[in-house]
Amino acid sequence: INDSETRIPVGSSTIGRIAECRKISIDNNLQDHSEVLDAEWLRSEQVTSFGAQPLQMAARVVGVLAVYGRRPISEIAGAELALASKALAQFIIRKLSEEKLRQAQEELSSYTGKLEKLTEERTASLREVVQQMEEFSYTISHDLRAPVRAMQGYATALLEDFGHQLD
């Protein structure tokens, strides 16, 4: 509902004070009070009673369950209101927790995607560096073999020509 009673600050008006005090409130003479937000609506609908219970889990209040009636609210109905408010508070807390979990999972998924992308980029960079190192080592190896081959060629020629004179 998007009206003046959708968001009521804690401590403000009857609903806000019920949230602040954290106690059930039952009023079977509602039209006699001056704080009623919409007295005209109450008269037109013949509303005479009001019951409200804070929706809380442990120390956390997540709202107020308010019931308007044309007949007085009995103690039994008040007890049922208390039970309904506990169930509704559990539901709200669970939904809030599920929403936080969903947001955390989305954030984790986003981080996972970023991490995978970073890993792929670094792996590609490392592959490039390894390729450059292999090329460099091939060049060094080739450059070092050339003098050895030349010396081996001279040694072979020396052995062929003067091998019988050498000890």
Side-chain angles (χ1 to χ4, degrees):
I1 300 173
N2 291 319
D3 66 7
S4 63
E5 295 187 37
T6 301
R7 299 272 181 215
I8 299 173
V10 172
S12 172
S13 80
T14 302
I15 299 279
R17 279 193 294 283
I18 290 167
E20 185 176 47
C21 294
R22 301 170 186 225
K23 293 181 181 176
I24 191 168
S25 174
I26 296 177
D27 185 349
N28 286 319
N29 295 311
L30 189 59
Q31 293 178 341
D32 293 341
H33 293 93
S34 62
E35 192 178 53
V36 175
L37 293 176
D38 194 350
E40 185 178 316
W41 174 79
L42 293 175
R43 279 191 294 282
S44 70
E45 294 296 322
Q46 300 174 350
V47 173
T48 60
S49 61
F50 168 78
Q53 170 75 31
L55 302 174
Q56 67 183 47
M57 289 296 297
R60 184 175 180 194
V61 175
V62 293
V64 174
L65 175 60
V67 177
Y68 295 87
R70 293 185 178 125
R71 290 184 295 258
I73 297 173
S74 67
E75 284 187 37
I76 294 172
E80 293 298 323
L81 180 63
L83 290 173
S85 71
K86 287 179 184 177
L88 187 55
Q90 288 175 344
F91 175 78
I92 290 170
I93 295 291
R94 183 172 52 92
K95 286 298 181 182
L96 291 172
S97 297
E98 287 173 358
E99 179 62 21
K100 285 181 182 178
L101 177 61
R102 185 191 61 76
Q103 289 173 350
Q105 286 172 334
E106 285 178 359
E107 192 174 319
L108 181 60
S109 178
S110 172
Y111 288 143
T112 301
K114 289 176 185 175
L115 185 59
E116 286 175 355
K117 183 179 177 183
L118 182 62
T119 301
E120 288 174 8
E121 289 172 357
R122 288 188 177 173
T123 300
S125 176
L126 283 173
R127 284 187 179 135
E128 185 178 320
V129 168
V130 167
Q131 177 67 29
Q132 290 173 357
M133 292 298 290
E134 286 176 353
E135 291 172 3
F136 178 73
S137 66
Y138 176 79
T139 302
I140 294 294
S141 174
H142 182 269
D143 289 351
L144 289 176
R145 286 183 188 156
V148 171
R149 272 184 276 188
M151 289 178 5
Q152 188 176 18
Y154 291 130
T156 303
L158 184 64
L159 283 174
E160 287 176 0
D161 294 342
F162 302 101
H164 59 282
Q165 295 174 356
L166 298 174
D167 53 353

